[in-house]
Amino acid sequence: LFFPGPFTDVVTTNLKLRNPSDRKVCFKVKTTAPRRYCVRPNSGIIDPGSSVVVSVMLQPFDYDPNEKSKHKFMVQTTYAPPNISDMEAVWKEAKPDELMDSKLRCVFEMPNENDKLNDIDVSKPSPALNTSKQDGPMPKSHSVSLNDTETRKLMEECKRLQAEIMKLTDENRHLRDEGLRLRKVTHSDKSASPTALALRENGSNSLPSLLVVIAAIFIGFFLGKFIL
């Protein structure tokens, strides 16, 4: 009896019994491992010239290729008496010389590696693989949407800083023009009046404002470079 693997599920092998005689024959199927197999039917009567198909179902188990199968089956037959009322009584009353035994050995066959590869290729068509690749970038699109929101905020902040820079630039230009005018007045007026000194101090105070403008320009430059 041949049982193909893998043995992760029930494996069924059919055994066909034929009666070539002109008398009814009783049969009974026995095994050395009754807990591992389910046989249907395991006994019965075969009419003359007829046949019966017996299903032998191997239960799932952990297959070890290094372990040789020692399971065996035996089909026992005898001629049926004229009037059969109790099958168990037939086997108990049968004489040894009236019984015929046929022994069968169980063989476990695992599929070849090439067959496994072919099964994998058939069960996994290329469209499925393409679909899985297309599904991969989905999380990235979500992250891109988040980056767009952050970029929008940074652009608004950059516009605000640029407006402040333009405002500070205008103020610095006005102060610079005022400083030049005061310098001309100072050079034309040789007398060092308190008013002239105050104007000089105002001109010197424009230098920190200029530094603020330069710092704001650098900040706007780096923010613009980060956004791009």
mmCIF file of all heavy atoms in Angstrom, residues 10 13 36 41 46 76 78-79 82 90 92 109 112 116 137 146 159 172 195 197 210 225:
data_model
loop_
_atom_site.group_PDB
_atom_site.id
_atom_site.type_symbol
_atom_site.label_atom_id
_atom_site.label_comp_id
_atom_site.label_asym_id
_atom_site.label_seq_id
_atom_site.Cartn_x
_atom_site.Cartn_y
_atom_site.Cartn_z
ATOM 1 N N VAL A 10 -5.131 13.677 6.267
ATOM 2 C CA VAL A 10 -5.468 12.270 6.053
ATOM 3 C C VAL A 10 -5.123 11.871 4.621
ATOM 4 O O VAL A 10 -5.477 12.568 3.666
ATOM 5 C CB VAL A 10 -6.967 12.028 6.328
ATOM 6 C CG1 VAL A 10 -7.334 10.582 6.037
ATOM 7 C CG2 VAL A 10 -7.294 12.380 7.775
ATOM 8 N N THR A 13 -5.751 5.565 0.590
ATOM 9 C CA THR A 13 -5.363 4.631 -0.468
ATOM 10 C C THR A 13 -6.451 3.561 -0.585
ATOM 11 O O THR A 13 -6.898 3.018 0.429
ATOM 12 C CB THR A 13 -4.007 3.969 -0.154
ATOM 13 O OG1 THR A 13 -3.007 4.988 -0.113
ATOM 14 C CG2 THR A 13 -3.646 2.955 -1.224
ATOM 15 N N ARG A 36 -3.396 4.056 13.770
ATOM 16 C CA ARG A 36 -2.916 4.970 12.736
ATOM 17 C C ARG A 36 -3.759 4.947 11.476
ATOM 18 O O ARG A 36 -3.602 5.814 10.607
ATOM 19 C CB ARG A 36 -1.471 4.611 12.386
ATOM 20 C CG ARG A 36 -0.492 4.720 13.544
ATOM 21 C CD ARG A 36 -0.174 6.152 13.884
ATOM 22 N NE ARG A 36 0.578 6.771 12.825
ATOM 23 C CZ ARG A 36 1.906 6.696 12.719
ATOM 24 N NH1 ARG A 36 2.612 6.020 13.616
ATOM 25 N NH2 ARG A 36 2.525 7.297 11.740
ATOM 26 N N PRO A 41 -14.830 -0.488 4.100
ATOM 27 C CA PRO A 41 -15.248 -1.365 5.213
ATOM 28 C C PRO A 41 -14.088 -2.264 5.608
ATOM 29 O O PRO A 41 -13.242 -2.611 4.781
ATOM 30 C CB PRO A 41 -16.392 -2.157 4.589
ATOM 31 C CG PRO A 41 -16.049 -2.233 3.142
ATOM 32 C CD PRO A 41 -15.349 -0.967 2.803
ATOM 33 N N ILE A 46 -18.183 -10.777 -0.369
ATOM 34 C CA ILE A 46 -18.041 -10.469 -1.793
ATOM 35 C C ILE A 46 -18.751 -11.566 -2.580
ATOM 36 O O ILE A 46 -18.460 -12.759 -2.419
ATOM 37 C CB ILE A 46 -16.555 -10.391 -2.210
ATOM 38 C CG1 ILE A 46 -15.797 -9.406 -1.318
ATOM 39 C CG2 ILE A 46 -16.436 -9.969 -3.667
ATOM 40 C CD1 ILE A 46 -14.307 -9.356 -1.594
ATOM 41 N N GLN A 76 -7.673 -11.189 5.142
ATOM 42 C CA GLN A 76 -8.009 -12.583 5.451
ATOM 43 C C GLN A 76 -9.359 -12.919 4.814
ATOM 44 O O GLN A 76 -10.319 -12.158 4.955
ATOM 45 C CB GLN A 76 -8.068 -12.784 6.962
ATOM 46 C CG GLN A 76 -7.966 -14.213 7.421
ATOM 47 C CD GLN A 76 -7.800 -14.308 8.925
ATOM 48 O OE1 GLN A 76 -8.488 -13.613 9.688
ATOM 49 N NE2 GLN A 76 -6.894 -15.155 9.378
ATOM 50 N N THR A 78 -12.244 -16.225 3.539
ATOM 51 C CA THR A 78 -12.720 -17.603 3.670
ATOM 52 C C THR A 78 -14.061 -17.709 2.947
ATOM 53 O O THR A 78 -14.761 -16.713 2.765
ATOM 54 C CB THR A 78 -12.880 -18.006 5.146
ATOM 55 O OG1 THR A 78 -13.261 -19.393 5.212
ATOM 56 C CG2 THR A 78 -13.930 -17.167 5.832
ATOM 57 N N TYR A 79 -14.405 -18.919 2.552
ATOM 58 C CA TYR A 79 -15.697 -19.102 1.884
ATOM 59 C C TYR A 79 -16.837 -18.905 2.884
ATOM 60 O O TYR A 79 -16.771 -19.383 4.032
ATOM 61 C CB TYR A 79 -15.795 -20.500 1.275
ATOM 62 C CG TYR A 79 -14.967 -20.646 0.008
ATOM 63 C CD1 TYR A 79 -13.866 -21.498 -0.026
ATOM 64 C CD2 TYR A 79 -15.306 -19.949 -1.138
ATOM 65 C CE1 TYR A 79 -13.115 -21.636 -1.179
ATOM 66 C CE2 TYR A 79 -14.559 -20.090 -2.301
ATOM 67 C CZ TYR A 79 -13.453 -20.925 -2.323
ATOM 68 O OH TYR A 79 -12.712 -21.059 -3.464
ATOM 69 N N PRO A 82 -23.424 -21.351 3.929
ATOM 70 C CA PRO A 82 -24.710 -21.125 3.242
ATOM 71 C C PRO A 82 -25.592 -20.095 3.940
ATOM 72 O O PRO A 82 -26.163 -19.216 3.304
ATOM 73 C CB PRO A 82 -25.355 -22.515 3.243
ATOM 74 C CG PRO A 82 -24.209 -23.467 3.366
ATOM 75 C CD PRO A 82 -23.184 -22.768 4.209
ATOM 76 N N VAL A 90 -18.442 -16.708 12.179
ATOM 77 C CA VAL A 90 -17.788 -17.319 11.001
ATOM 78 C C VAL A 90 -16.297 -17.377 11.192
ATOM 79 O O VAL A 90 -15.645 -18.404 10.925
ATOM 80 C CB VAL A 90 -18.157 -16.527 9.738
ATOM 81 C CG1 VAL A 90 -17.348 -17.023 8.545
ATOM 82 C CG2 VAL A 90 -19.643 -16.644 9.435
ATOM 83 N N LYS A 92 -14.610 -17.186 14.044
ATOM 84 C CA LYS A 92 -14.236 -18.026 15.176
ATOM 85 C C LYS A 92 -14.306 -19.506 14.835
ATOM 86 O O LYS A 92 -13.491 -20.317 15.301
ATOM 87 C CB LYS A 92 -15.137 -17.725 16.378
ATOM 88 C CG LYS A 92 -14.899 -16.348 16.987
ATOM 89 C CD LYS A 92 -15.829 -16.104 18.168
ATOM 90 C CE LYS A 92 -15.621 -14.746 18.789
ATOM 91 N NZ LYS A 92 -16.539 -14.509 19.941
ATOM 92 N N GLU A 109 5.705 7.651 0.783
ATOM 93 C CA GLU A 109 6.446 8.346 -0.279
ATOM 94 C C GLU A 109 6.302 9.854 -0.094
ATOM 95 O O GLU A 109 5.191 10.378 -0.070
ATOM 96 C CB GLU A 109 5.911 7.960 -1.662
ATOM 97 C CG GLU A 109 6.191 6.517 -2.041
ATOM 98 C CD GLU A 109 5.671 6.188 -3.434
ATOM 99 O OE1 GLU A 109 4.715 6.858 -3.872
ATOM 100 O OE2 GLU A 109 6.226 5.291 -4.069
ATOM 101 N N ASN A 112 9.207 14.655 -4.441
ATOM 102 C CA ASN A 112 10.564 15.099 -4.736
ATOM 103 C C ASN A 112 10.664 16.607 -4.587
ATOM 104 O O ASN A 112 9.676 17.336 -4.613
ATOM 105 C CB ASN A 112 10.967 14.685 -6.157
ATOM 106 C CG ASN A 112 11.019 13.171 -6.314
ATOM 107 O OD1 ASN A 112 11.329 12.454 -5.360
ATOM 108 N ND2 ASN A 112 10.707 12.694 -7.514
ATOM 109 N N LYS A 116 8.041 19.780 -5.444
ATOM 110 C CA LYS A 116 7.675 20.845 -4.516
ATOM 111 C C LYS A 116 7.832 22.214 -5.171
ATOM 112 O O LYS A 116 6.997 23.092 -5.028
ATOM 113 C CB LYS A 116 8.554 20.777 -3.252
ATOM 114 C CG LYS A 116 8.278 19.568 -2.376
ATOM 115 C CD LYS A 116 9.163 19.610 -1.152
ATOM 116 C CE LYS A 116 8.909 18.403 -0.246
ATOM 117 N NZ LYS A 116 9.797 18.435 0.929
ATOM 118 N N PRO A 137 4.680 50.113 -1.328
ATOM 119 C CA PRO A 137 4.924 51.540 -1.105
ATOM 120 C C PRO A 137 3.779 52.284 -0.442
ATOM 121 O O PRO A 137 3.856 53.481 -0.299
ATOM 122 C CB PRO A 137 5.153 52.082 -2.525
ATOM 123 C CG PRO A 137 5.442 50.891 -3.361
ATOM 124 C CD PRO A 137 4.681 49.781 -2.739
ATOM 125 N N LEU A 146 2.225 63.464 5.316
ATOM 126 C CA LEU A 146 2.640 64.139 6.533
ATOM 127 C C LEU A 146 3.717 65.172 6.238
ATOM 128 O O LEU A 146 3.711 66.273 6.773
ATOM 129 C CB LEU A 146 3.144 63.100 7.546
ATOM 130 C CG LEU A 146 2.089 62.129 8.086
ATOM 131 C CD1 LEU A 146 2.747 61.130 9.027
ATOM 132 C CD2 LEU A 146 0.974 62.874 8.799
ATOM 133 N N LYS A 159 7.639 82.685 4.694
ATOM 134 C CA LYS A 159 7.060 83.923 4.169
ATOM 135 C C LYS A 159 7.001 85.008 5.239
ATOM 136 O O LYS A 159 7.262 86.189 4.991
ATOM 137 C CB LYS A 159 5.667 83.638 3.624
ATOM 138 C CG LYS A 159 5.676 82.804 2.339
ATOM 139 C CD LYS A 159 4.263 82.576 1.856
ATOM 140 C CE LYS A 159 4.253 81.735 0.579
ATOM 141 N NZ LYS A 159 2.869 81.465 0.099
ATOM 142 N N ASN A 172 16.619 99.572 8.037
ATOM 143 C CA ASN A 172 18.069 99.748 8.009
ATOM 144 C C ASN A 172 18.479 100.756 6.926
ATOM 145 O O ASN A 172 19.389 101.579 7.120
ATOM 146 C CB ASN A 172 18.731 98.398 7.747
ATOM 147 C CG ASN A 172 20.252 98.502 7.779
ATOM 148 O OD1 ASN A 172 20.840 98.867 8.793
ATOM 149 N ND2 ASN A 172 20.891 98.192 6.651
ATOM 150 N N THR A 195 23.351 118.229 20.105
ATOM 151 C CA THR A 195 22.440 117.610 19.133
ATOM 152 C C THR A 195 23.198 116.697 18.179
ATOM 153 O O THR A 195 22.754 115.601 17.821
ATOM 154 C CB THR A 195 21.688 118.689 18.351
ATOM 155 O OG1 THR A 195 21.040 119.572 19.264
ATOM 156 C CG2 THR A 195 20.689 118.069 17.407
ATOM 157 N N LEU A 197 26.011 115.137 18.737
ATOM 158 C CA LEU A 197 26.432 113.930 19.438
ATOM 159 C C LEU A 197 25.285 112.942 19.559
ATOM 160 O O LEU A 197 25.454 111.718 19.416
ATOM 161 C CB LEU A 197 26.952 114.309 20.843
ATOM 162 C CG LEU A 197 28.254 115.128 20.879
ATOM 163 C CD1 LEU A 197 28.582 115.534 22.311
ATOM 164 C CD2 LEU A 197 29.407 114.333 20.262
ATOM 165 N N LEU A 210 21.255 96.116 11.997
ATOM 166 C CA LEU A 210 21.838 95.505 10.798
ATOM 167 C C LEU A 210 22.233 94.048 11.046
ATOM 168 O O LEU A 210 22.015 93.163 10.205
ATOM 169 C CB LEU A 210 23.053 96.327 10.346
ATOM 170 C CG LEU A 210 23.776 95.828 9.090
ATOM 171 C CD1 LEU A 210 22.810 95.866 7.902
ATOM 172 C CD2 LEU A 210 24.990 96.694 8.791
ATOM 173 N N LYS A 225 16.342 76.391 1.881
ATOM 174 C CA LYS A 225 17.128 75.235 1.401
ATOM 175 C C LYS A 225 16.588 73.945 1.968
ATOM 176 O O LYS A 225 16.518 72.914 1.290
ATOM 177 C CB LYS A 225 18.583 75.410 1.788
ATOM 178 C CG LYS A 225 19.499 74.334 1.212
ATOM 179 C CD LYS A 225 20.940 74.616 1.538
ATOM 180 C CE LYS A 225 21.848 73.547 0.943
ATOM 181 N NZ LYS A 225 23.264 73.794 1.263
#
